[in-house]
Amino acid sequence: MSTNQEVIIQGLGVSDGLKIGKVFVYKTQSNVEVPETQAQDVQAELALLRAAKAESITELEALVAHAERTLGEEKATIIKGQISFLNDPSFYPPMEKLIETDGWNAATAIQKTVNQVAGMLEAMPIEYMKERAADIRDVGRRLASQISGDKGQRLSDIQEPVILVAEDLAPSETVQLDRQFILGFATRVGGKTSHTAILAQSLGIAAVLGLGDAVDQISSGDLLVINGSTGECIIHPTDETISKTAAQMKVEEETKLSLARYANRKAVTLDGVHFEMAANIGTPEEAEGLLDKGAEAVGLYRTEFLFMSRNQMPDEETQFKAYKAAAEALKGKPVVIRTLDIGGDKELPYLTLPHELNPFLGYRAVRLCLDDKPLFKTQLRAILRASAFGNLKVMFPMISGASEWRQAKALWDETRAEVIAEGHKVADKIELGIMIEIPSAALMARTLAKEVDFFSIGTNDLVQYTVAVDRMNEKVAYLYDYFHPAVIRLIKEVIDASNEQGKWTGMCGSMAGDPLAAPLLAGLGLHEWSMSSGVIHKVKRIVTNLDHKACQALATRILELSTPEEIRAELVQFQANIKFD
Amino acid sequence: MFSKEVEIVNPSGFHVRPAQLFVELAAKFTADIKIQPQGVEMQIDGKSVLGLMTLGLAKGSVVQISATGADAEAAVEQLSALVASGFGEI
């Protein structure tokens, strides 16, 4: 029997996971205000401040290196930003001035400056600015701790599994959390868009932020349940709550296990037909661990994120590193790189594109790349150089017919010869394919199949262009359906065309990851299915319990149907009759 | 000293990315560069991302860009052109 009353408190669930464990109340490096004090010796205080800045930069650089290893380069830039604050003319020089001109000591100068800068950001009505204030206070605490010598508790001292409870966890602290010992964490402040939330998700640590004053009711050693998806925390759980939580955790664990069971199986039908299951990725970090999630390949690597996440065009070296990392993470399994698909709804901050009335029918993807040859060639060079480190394939987006494909292919051949002539190692054979997302390309598939190595059907755009519907427009969104019979006929046409020439067809739109569509796609003979890595096990569960011949018969029946509703009904009925092992 | 008044025209105002772009360009000049919002006494160092961010200038605000030093004229010209261009957002 617990002597304490069970208390349920509510925060913001920002990183999934249901956890129960002993609380460790973590005191952040002293957040307390120091009394304002005049300097005894101005030169000595200046020297202290300079040393504190140098030491802070050294510490942050070590943290950046750690974050790059555990979280990837992208996330490490959050910490890098703190270094740039230390070098900003509005941050460090005012501190020196407060000592030199106003005679304050170093600790006071830091406190005054941090309060002033962070205070201004906090006063702005923009969430993003308030979050940057947290970064300023984080770096300010680090500076102050160099002078006071009070570095707070060290997270690395925690050597048993605990749930961390704190006022706030700064980004620089979050990156140090070790999943082995930190079951989850709960804090008084923080929001869904904070860097801390983003980092917790990347680390896979359950987190509830923004508990407010309720956090005062939690002490070190208490038993605590935290639910990172609902944001609910239970202090002093009763025996009943504990067993209920344990049961729920068991269910979650079992679901995970059953998923793992399917994830590790090959997608082979009961009668022995294998389909290749692949994943869509946007960054090379996502390629890490994909093989464990059951992916046999990357069917779509969206390179535009590399371009969208920065303020200037990524140079050849930056691109080369990213493509090489993805190739290496897949250990020889295929990675299909899609060349830059920008324009339409995806803009680049540093590439000014004219405003268009119909951006989806306009200057985008391969159209833009063929027009801006230096941009396109830089990407092709980076891919060619990375090809020596794995099994890369390349596809061009938004191809409408043979001439665009031929132009892209010619530029590829030219670039390849140049890269080889410069002495770079390039893979002997790199398959080249095209995205099928424009109906004209689908209808020309029989011609195109003679020239390309593969097709990849992008269902999201293909549906939009075939049915002439903008799915963002709520009034017509009901028309947006990949089970439209016209779309299915186009898909069949493309797969058949590739089969005739001994080529293969993949699919990288959301249809490929829809368990309901799986029997139809199997029946049509789709070779490679590329989807979000989180759903691979669901599709495998279906495919491994299918009879391929029955799927072919299903596909034949479906091609006779005339509306999306009839097709869905047929698929739902088929699904209901699948016997799962 | 050279100076020029210019209006912020991009929809999101003078926030993080515009501030970064501005500072990147400002850093290319040796001149001392200052920003002063219209009707405000405060001057901000044109090479400080933090300083520009804290100004929180919205679309429609007018700022004076001034510079002193060898390449001051070019600095004012190019920086005001960057602001007037809407930082590539429009």
Side-chain angles (χ1 to χ4, degrees):
Chain A
M1 253 297 282
S2 164
T3 48
N4 288 299
Q5 193 81 35
E6 174 174 297
V7 182
I8 299 176
I9 57 178
Q10 186 69 42
L12 287 168
V14 298
S15 180
D16 288 354
L18 178 66
K19 299 286 169 189
I20 182 163
K22 245 178 33 187
V23 168
F24 180 93
V25 175
Y26 172 68
K27 298 246 189 312
T28 318
Q29 293 167 13
S30 58
N31 220 353
V32 284
E33 297 274 301
V34 296
E36 295 188 353
T37 314
Q38 290 284 320
Q40 304 275 336
D41 174 347
V42 166
Q43 287 313 316
E45 292 297 325
L46 277 175
L48 262 181
L49 184 67
R50 282 186 199 124
K53 178 188 174 192
E55 185 56 32
S56 297
I57 289 178
T58 309
E59 285 180 8
L60 285 167
E61 278 168 351
L63 262 188
V64 167
H66 173 78
E68 277 176 350
R69 278 194 310 276
T70 55
L71 290 158
E73 231 169 274
E74 202 74 48
K75 298 280 173 0
T77 56
I78 293 176
I79 308 298
K80 270 192 197 153
Q82 296 198 352
I83 299 179
S84 70
F85 285 150
L86 278 173
N87 289 318
D88 194 292
S90 297
F91 192 61
Y92 181 74
M95 296 181 193
E96 287 204 344
K97 200 168 152 250
L98 281 169
I99 299 174
E100 275 183 317
T101 344
D102 303 345
W104 294 111
N105 73 1
T108 309
I110 294 169
Q111 176 170 299
K112 280 179 171 289
T113 310
V114 167
N115 283 344
Q116 197 242 343
V117 175
M120 283 174 81
L121 292 172
E122 279 155 3
M124 292 171 69
I126 303 158
E127 199 53 37
Y128 184 82
M129 292 292 182
K130 294 194 212 293
E131 302 291 3
R132 298 297 73 74
D135 287 325
I136 293 281
R137 291 198 185 276
D138 187 15
V139 78
R141 271 195 300 277
R142 183 175 299 279
L143 266 181
S145 73
Q146 314 291 358
I147 290 168
S148 66
D150 168 20
K151 301 216 170 182
Q153 293 157 311
R154 298 177 71 94
L155 285 167
S156 52
D157 290 345
I158 300 174
Q159 294 295 329
E160 54 167 357
V162 293
I163 292 177
L164 213 59
V165 175
E167 268 300 302
D168 185 14
L169 273 186
S172 65
E173 291 165 321
T174 312
V175 298
Q176 300 177 63
L177 298 180
D178 184 344
R179 279 185 63 174
Q180 205 186 332
F181 300 121
I182 309 298
L183 300 170
F185 65 86
T187 65
R188 183 194 300 268
V189 299
K192 277 202 192 268
T193 59
S194 65
H195 278 154
T196 302
I198 293 164
L199 293 170
Q201 289 155 18
S202 297
L203 288 163
I205 293 180
V208 174
L209 307 186
L211 280 166
D213 292 342
V215 89
D216 294 333
Q217 303 175 53
I218 312 173
S219 322
S220 273
D222 284 352
L223 206 54
L224 183 73
V225 174
I226 74 166
N227 188 332
S229 37
T230 62
E232 189 180 79
C233 296
I234 307 172
I235 315 169
H236 310 305
T238 59
D239 292 346
E240 196 195 335
T241 305
I242 294 171
S243 53
K244 245 191 355 211
T245 307
Q248 204 184 330
M249 284 169 70
K250 205 168 155 227
V251 171
E252 285 185 8
E253 195 58 29
E254 274 168 5
T255 318
K256 241 196 222 159
L257 280 178
S258 105
L259 300 183
R261 189 164 71 107
Y262 285 108
N264 293 325
R265 267 201 223 175
K266 281 215 143 187
V268 178
T269 62
L270 297 170
D271 46 348
V273 182
H274 171 240
F275 297 99
E276 187 179 30
M277 296 289 127
N280 297 340
I281 63 169
T283 63
E285 286 82 23
E286 289 176 66
E288 305 276 343
L290 269 188
L291 300 174
D292 299 331
K293 289 182 185 159
E296 297 167 79
V298 166
L300 167 65
Y301 174 8
R302 301 184 173 96
T303 54
E304 51 273 17
F305 289 118
L306 187 62
F307 289 72
M308 288 159 82
S309 62
R310 58 191 69 228
N311 292 322
Q312 62 205 27
M313 198 71 79
D315 60 11
E316 181 181 323
E317 207 54 34
T318 308
Q319 293 190 50
F320 163 70
K321 278 189 195 150
Y323 307 152
K324 174 172 176 265
E328 287 177 337
L330 266 283
K331 304 188 172 80
K333 301 273 189 197
V335 175
V336 181
I337 297 189
R338 178 173 72 188
T339 60
L340 187 59
D341 185 7
I342 213 73
D345 55 341
K346 287 173 272 186
E347 293 176 5
L348 292 184
Y350 45 82
L351 189 71
T352 313
L353 296 176
H355 179 74
E356 297 185 28
L357 277 176
N358 286 307
F360 279 100
L361 305 180
Y363 188 62
R364 58 175 290 207
V366 83
R367 301 170 178 183
L368 184 156
C369 286
L370 288 172
D371 189 37
D372 190 341
K373 295 232 164 63
L375 177 154
F376 199 21
K377 273 186 95 162
T378 304
Q379 180 169 44
L380 299 183
R381 286 180 57 90
I383 297 172
L384 279 157
R385 285 174 55 201
S387 71
F389 298 89
N391 181 0
L392 294 185
K393 303 178 185 204
V394 180
M395 63 179 175
F396 304 114
M398 280 293 284
I399 295 281
S400 65
S403 31
E404 280 160 340
W405 147 254
R406 286 174 192 160
Q407 283 178 56
K409 169 81 162 71
L411 198 67
W412 169 266
D413 290 341
E414 177 191 314
T415 313
R416 182 187 171 95
E418 285 169 15
V419 171
I420 292 173
E422 287 167 25
H424 293 294
K425 235 188 118 206
V426 170
D428 291 335
K429 168 77 188 156
I430 304 172
E431 286 191 20
L432 290 185
I434 58 172
M435 291 275 297
I436 299 284
E437 41 194 346
I438 305 181
S440 59
L443 292 167
M444 290 301 289
R446 271 166 222 270
T447 307
L448 291 163
K450 293 180 186 147
E451 304 182 22
V452 303
D453 294 315
F454 67 93
F455 293 129
S456 181
I457 303 174
T459 47
N460 301 357
D461 276 345
L462 185 63
V463 174
Q464 159 161 299
Y465 292 133
T466 303
V467 192
V469 61
D470 175 0
R471 68 191 145 131
M472 306 312 269
N473 182 339
E474 284 173 22
K475 290 213 153 144
V476 293
Y478 70 96
L479 286 169
Y480 180 90
D481 193 340
Y482 43 67
F483 292 126
H484 193 292
V487 174
I488 290 167
R489 281 172 203 219
L490 288 176
I491 293 170
K492 178 178 162 49
E493 178 70 16
V494 173
I495 297 173
D496 289 353
S498 66
N499 280 335
E500 271 175 24
Q501 300 295 330
K503 310 291 174 64
W504 59 273
T505 296
M507 178 182 284
C508 55
S510 42
M511 186 180 193
D514 180 353
L516 189 63
L520 171 61
L521 298 179
L524 291 171
L526 181 71
H527 303 92
E528 179 232 48
W529 312 24
S530 194
M531 60 199 86
S532 146
S533 63
V535 297
I536 290 178
H537 61 264
K538 291 187 190 161
V539 175
K540 280 190 172 177
R541 179 168 174 264
I542 306 283
V543 172
T544 50
N545 288 294
L546 289 178
D547 177 72
H548 185 238
K549 292 210 177 54
C551 294
Q552 286 176 314
L554 169 76
T556 308
R557 283 202 303 282
I558 282 183
L559 285 161
E560 295 298 315
L561 299 177
S562 45
T563 68
E565 294 74 27
E566 288 169 23
I567 292 173
R568 271 182 190 279
E570 184 75 27
L571 287 168
V572 168
Q573 199 198 341
F574 188 90
Q575 196 89 330
N577 291 326
I578 299 175
K579 288 184 189 67
F580 290 102
D581 58 351
Chain B
M1 190 186 83
F2 291 88
S3 73
K4 200 165 184 172
E5 281 202 341
V6 59
E7 186 185 334
I8 316 275
V9 290
N10 53 307
S12 68
F14 217 132
H15 296 319
V16 183
R17 200 188 58 84
Q20 279 164 348
L21 289 176
F22 190 95
V23 169
E24 258 169 47
L25 181 57
K28 292 189 179 138
F29 299 98
T30 56
D32 193 19
I33 297 162
K34 298 275 186 237
I35 303 281
Q36 183 166 3
Q38 198 176 46
V40 179
E41 276 307 294
M42 182 175 52
Q43 275 197 337
I44 289 289
D45 187 325
K47 297 179 183 177
S48 163
V49 174
L50 263 180
L52 295 173
M53 270 166 60
T54 49
L55 283 179
L57 295 170
K59 184 185 174 182
S61 313
V62 175
V63 291
Q64 186 176 55
I65 302 172
S66 56
T68 43
D71 47 9
E73 187 172 6
V76 170
E77 279 312 314
Q78 292 187 30
L79 288 167
S80 50
L82 176 69
V83 176
S85 76
F87 300 96
E89 281 178 20
I90 47 175

